[in-house]
Amino acid sequence: MNLARLRPRKLSARVAVLVMTLTMVLAAIGCVASFLLSRAVIHASIDDTLHVAVNHEHTSAQELAEELPSGAIVMVRRGDRLDVRANGPDRVVAAEDATALRTELDRPDGLRDVKLPERDDMRVATLRQPGTEVLAAVSMEPAERDLTRLAAWQLALWVPAGIVASAVGVWLTRRQVRPLQAVTRTARSIAETPAESVEDAVSRRVPEPRRAADEVGVLTHAINDLLQVEAALARRDESEAALRTMLADVSHELRTPLAVVRSHAELSASMLARAVEAERSEAAGDSAGGGLPGVEGQDGGADHGRRAASDVRALELELAPSLRRIERESIRMARLVEDLLLLAHLDAGQRAAQESVDVTFLALEALSDAKLMAPQHLWAFDAPDEVCEIVGDENGVRRVIVNLVTNARRHTPAGTRVQLSVRDAGDSVVVEVADDGPGLPASVAAEPGRRFKGASRSDTDRRGGLGLAITMALAESMEASIHFDSSTAGTTAIVTLPRRPAALGAE
């Protein structure tokens, strides 16, 4: 028989069975302990009675027997005279009983149980005094009879008391597990809630008990804390909004070069179509004139060749700007795609190869390129004489510096002073890009590391767009930190590059 199948599945039922079992076991232990205690008290009372009787001065065995309970036997021996008396209805002591008691009289003093042939079990006490030997025996039958009735009464009381206590224990147990049942119901209702009603589901709470200090109260409080996911939902909605903003920004950024490429491609196609049509018309005219004799026809063919060459040069001049614009916009789209791929790789936690990087050289290289791109700005460079090197991703460091310099170049007016500084900070190398331009927009300055923040499509807000997001992601991947100090007096970007990344040192 498989006892595991008989085990209740619910915790409340198992606890109830356990409470009932323990209560009945305790009731049985109480009943047995009470019976044994009562028996010990009765036996001690009989022993005290016998002890007092044998130690009392008596004139005769008859007087001693009358002081003892009914059924008692007294034996007093003085010299050669033996006096035997019995108390109660049966005053006659049989010879066999007298012989057995005489044997007990010869034994050492004390209390003991004796089985008489013609009577019940007797409790015997003996005492030797000078010239006198006393024996007192009391029947144990009345005491055992009283103990039997007492046991019956105890069973009659303890069994119902155990049943009542078990019922109360089961009721209290079920009452204590009600909060657990409420937790179960709440969890099931949330699990069964449709997806469009998630906000309503997470607003539900488990009723907390009055005594919140016990384990059930602590559990319900913890469940309610767990259900407080409004902040998580808000972060989810904010993340989804940021994702939608990112897609809108990327779509907006890609739509412009695509439109330019398409328009210039259509323009080039239409111009080529017009040129081909013109060539066909000219060819048809030449064929008609070529059939006439004379020099005029030959001169007409030469003129037609010159006109065709002139048309081709004109067409080339018209198509060249469109083709160059198509090339530039194609490069721009390629860069946008590369930026998106780089962000995806950084989000995936991919690490580039670590090598020795000369930060001073990369900063000077970025400044030289910026001077060529924006000669109208006032550029300055400051670095120590010693080379500042780190161990890291050279392309990542170059991209961070170039992005910050480009950001300062693009979003500041002509004549703005931009200073690029490199300094040794012991365990790190610090790169600063400071300008005296108008500063970062408020939406970007509040959270410069937030990707695609803000729904505004203005050009000023785009200073915190994809380029700054890539810069922050690259810095995070290299365990570097970027701090922006921006005001109306200008913006300073401070990049702290560790000499050796901690993750690389752990390897």
Side-chain angles (χ1 to χ4, degrees), residues 11 176-186 206 215-216 219-220:
L11 176 61
Q176 292 297 320
V177 299
R178 284 178 185 173
L180 299 180
Q181 297 174 352
V183 171
T184 303
R185 289 193 299 268
T186 303
V206 179
E215 288 78 2
V216 177
L219 175 62
T220 54

Side-chain angles (χ1 to χ4, degrees), residues 19-34 154-155 157-166:
V19 170
M20 292 178 62
T21 303
L22 292 178
T23 304
M24 295 305 298
V25 169
L26 291 177
I29 293 175
C31 181
V32 174
S34 177
Q154 288 180 341
L155 287 175
L157 293 175
W158 279 99
V159 172
I163 295 175
V164 172
S166 299

Side-chain angles (χ1 to χ4, degrees), residues 123-195:
R123 185 69 171 170
V124 176
T126 59
L127 179 65
R128 295 174 183 272
Q129 294 180 351
T132 304
E133 298 178 14
V134 181
L135 179 146
V138 176
S139 176
M140 298 299 294
E141 181 182 1
E144 296 297 335
R145 189 165 51 247
D146 292 341
L147 288 174
T148 302
R149 287 197 296 267
L150 178 62
W153 278 105
Q154 288 180 341
L155 287 175
L157 293 175
W158 279 99
V159 172
I163 295 175
V164 172
S166 299
V168 173
V170 171
W171 177 74
L172 291 176
T173 301
R174 291 182 176 178
R175 183 176 180 180
Q176 292 297 320
V177 299
R178 284 178 185 173
L180 299 180
Q181 297 174 352
V183 171
T184 303
R185 289 193 299 268
T186 303
R188 286 180 177 175
S189 64
I190 293 176
E192 296 173 356
T193 302

Side-chain angles (χ1 to χ4, degrees), residues 273-342:
R274 289 198 304 271
V276 171
E277 184 65 26
E279 286 293 329
R280 289 178 179 175
S281 300
E282 291 291 338
D286 292 343
S287 299
L292 298 175
V295 181
E296 290 79 8
Q298 295 177 357
D299 293 339
D303 292 339
H304 168 68
R306 287 191 294 269
R307 286 196 304 269
S310 176
D311 291 340
V312 171
R313 285 193 296 272
L315 180 61
E316 181 180 0
L317 293 175
E318 292 180 3
L319 288 179
S322 296
L323 295 176
R324 287 194 296 270
R325 185 67 183 275
I326 291 174
E327 182 181 4
R328 288 196 303 270
E329 296 301 330
S330 300
I331 295 174
R332 181 184 174 189
M333 284 189 297
R335 289 176 178 174
L336 287 174
V337 173
E338 289 176 359
D339 289 344
L340 292 176
L341 290 176
L342 177 59

Side-chain angles (χ1 to χ4, degrees), residues 4-22:
R5 295 182 179 179
L6 300 178
R7 183 183 180 185
R9 295 184 178 180
K10 292 186 178 180
L11 176 61
S12 59
R14 293 200 298 269
V15 173
V17 171
L18 179 62
V19 170
M20 292 178 62
T21 303
L22 292 178

